[in-house]
Amino acid sequence: MADDDYVYDEATGEWISAADAAAKSGGASDDDAVVVRDSVGNVLSDGDQVTLIKDLTVKGAGQTLKRGTLIKSIRLTGDAQEIDCKFDGIKGLVLRAEFVRKR
């Protein structure tokens, strides 16, 4: 990028130079990554399989997920306590990490 290019920084709400933006994004490290842990303290990652440890009523779906239900291929949301997943007949299912155990 040229020296006269500017980029909008959504975090601060200001226009900053492209060089500053590159330095700012390049300075990000793995320390900023959110660590998601299940009910027993195991670290979860994208694609893991988890098992429910409690019966959960799904709001809006009129369905209850029973204890022991296997959820495949989870995705982390960036929140330390929420995981995104799919289950038969339920779109956009978000579970709290405290109710699952890594398989």
Side-chain angles (χ1 to χ4, degrees):
M1 291 185 180
D3 291 335
D4 58 347
D5 288 341
Y6 286 89
V7 179
Y8 185 73
D9 183 18
E10 292 181 13
T12 62
E14 298 176 350
W15 289 93
I16 58 174
S17 69
D20 291 342
K24 189 174 188 180
S25 66
S29 65
D30 290 337
D31 296 337
D32 297 337
V34 176
V35 176
V36 180
R37 296 186 181 271
D38 67 358
S39 61
V40 293
N42 296 324
V43 176
L44 297 174
S45 60
D46 286 338
D48 282 346
Q49 294 182 356
V50 295
T51 305
L52 297 179
I53 62 166
K54 178 181 176 181
D55 290 351
L56 299 174
T57 303
V58 181
K59 294 181 180 178
Q63 189 174 3
T64 300
L65 297 176
K66 300 291 184 187
R67 178 178 172 220
T69 301
L70 178 66
I71 305 291
K72 297 179 181 178
S73 187
I74 65 168
R75 290 176 304 281
L76 303 181
T77 61
D79 184 348
Q81 281 299 312
E82 293 181 350
I83 56 174
D84 187 32
C85 54
K86 291 182 182 178
F87 189 73
D88 296 334
I90 304 173
K91 291 183 181 179
L93 180 62
V94 177
L95 297 174
R96 303 259 317 159
E98 63 190 287
F99 298 124
V100 299
R101 183 181 70 233
K102 187 174 181 178
R103 186 151 163 114

